[in-house]
Amino acid sequence: MRKKNIFLYWIIMECFLSIAIAAMLLTGGSLSQFYNSEYEAVVNKKQYLLLCIELFFVISILSFLFSKKIERLMQKGRCLLNKIIIGYEKCVDCILKYIKRVKGNARLYAIGRSLSIIFILMLGYLAHMAGARKSYGYTVIFFISFMCILVFWIVPKRQAFYKVNRIKKLWWLLCIIQFISDIIIQKRVGFVELWMLSSFGLLYRTWERMEKPEQLWDDFANGIEFIYILTISYCVFIEPWWKEEILYSGMWKNPNPFSVMIVLCLLVIVYRCIQVVSSKSQYWKLILYFGEIIVGIKMITLSQCRTAILSCTILFIWCVLFILGKKMKHIKFSARNVVAILSLVFLIVCSILIFKGGMILSKKSTSITLDDMTSGRLTIWKEYIMQMNLWGHGDDALVNGTLAYAHNMILKFTYTYGLIAGVVVIMLLVEVCRRAFLFWEKERENENAFLVIGILLVYFISTMIESVDDLPMVWQIWSAFYFVLGFLMLQCTKEGNSG
């Protein structure tokens, strides 16, 4: 990592420390006092701001005095993390060496991978219908099993070097912090990081050794297409949408996960359309794809899920920008420009849905406050922030005396695993976004870049508003995000970036 980046990260960490320590000192360790209006007389805003500034200068001076020791500790920490990751990859290589695979052609292996991905994605739906929390232990076992079956159908034909990049480091660091938090505070859904390493970690290393890693995206798309056909069949023959007046949820109990799954399916259908146009063959498929897109949009409209509507709008803008960047060589979109355009559209559509949503697709016909328009999410988010601590909690936060889902991944993660984990997960998300847009900027005509960034956009929008990460694997977009994470790890390794 460059010295400039290290300095920037350290400054950010000092700001976080100053803010947290000042809040702790003024409230006697109870952060809830800081946000509660009853304690306004105790927590003076000017006093708090001055204390933050004082602490920042004190920490900065101490950092300057002990800069060499801090730098040595950071270097030792990075070296230790590198050794842990490389040691893990060597163990995986030993496992892969002794796995006996069936003899068959490439087509047979592709079918096996697609079927495995279908089961991995559909497992979340089955867990949701059976009661996600009640059957979660069984869900984990089945998830790991299907991930191992997927690995079985991936033929590692090349020897991959042990290269550690920034995404790997942050993901491993996050797993280590989660593990420590699990030991300190018992979680209702505990030791998620261990089965993440035993499932996705195994997949990432095997994927890294594939001769053509991008082939897995075609298998992923095949799996999504199959699930989408099943969904449409269910919605036509078993639970017809034209008989539902409002809040259509299809094969789910809740319209939100259903509609977000449909958005993911629509993204893959558009990805297939781009592939057909690029290959200049089988144009007849476009008629089928357009029909599937129309049906998907209709179901999303009936579900009245604002998250899905926002995701579709952003994806449409991203599709236009991708096609312009691909077809019109004289138009040069940098990654920064694209991010700026998508952010602006996101803010505009968000504002419309928040302030005019009641008039457009009113879930609540008489919404008055902003909290009402967000279905109480502002209250939930405030309570999660109030109850945060250093090492996390065992269950969801109490909101008005009852346990409530966070409806925000960053808040949920920080609440569950502590403030340190929250900082690391933000760094990971920023790095993943950066790598995705750099990949697209380098390979403008690569359809995989369209799919990768599209999945990230849907995931980030969904995870900021819905409970995507409260129970891993239940939402299909959650699994899709971790496929993207693995793919971007490979891109860093191919470029030789060990930072």
Side-chain angles (χ1 to χ4, degrees), residues 356-374:
K356 298 294 183 181
M359 296 170 61
I360 298 171
L361 43 85
S362 180
K363 282 185 180 180
K364 291 184 178 182
S365 57
T366 56
S367 294
I368 300 172
T369 65
L370 187 59
D371 193 45
D372 289 331
M373 287 305 304
T374 58

Side-chain angles (χ1 to χ4, degrees), residues 168-184:
K168 281 185 181 179
K169 285 180 182 178
L170 289 170
W171 187 59
W172 265 91
L173 183 60
L174 200 60
C175 288
I176 291 170
I177 294 170
Q178 284 179 262
F179 181 74
I180 294 170
S181 175
D182 277 326
I183 291 173
I184 295 173

Side-chain angles (χ1 to χ4, degrees), residues 331-348:
I331 297 178
K332 293 184 179 180
F333 287 115
S334 67
R336 290 180 181 179
N337 292 339
V338 171
V339 172
I341 292 169
L342 292 174
S343 300
L344 180 62
V345 173
F346 173 80
L347 291 174
I348 292 171

Side-chain angles (χ1 to χ4, degrees), residues 88 92 95 140-141 143-149 151 171-172 175 191-204 206:
Y88 173 83
V92 172
I95 295 170
V140 169
I141 294 170
F143 187 85
I144 294 174
S145 302
F146 286 125
M147 290 294 282
C148 290
I149 294 170
V151 167
W171 187 59
W172 265 91
C175 288
F191 298 101
V192 171
E193 67 288 338
L194 295 181
W195 64 257
M196 283 284 288
L197 290 171
S198 62
S199 55
F200 277 110
L202 181 65
L203 171 65
Y204 293 161
T206 315

Side-chain angles (χ1 to χ4, degrees), residues 29 71 128 135 217 219 227 234 249 300 316 348 379 385 398 413 430 445 459 470 473 479-480 484:
E71 191 174 348
H128 179 78
S135 59
W217 280 126
D219 305 324
I227 291 171
Y234 181 93
S249 59
I300 288 172
F316 174 75
I348 292 171
T379 299
I385 294 171
L398 284 170
F413 212 94
V430 170
E445 298 187 5
Y459 174 77
D470 282 78
M473 303 174 304
S479 297
V484 169

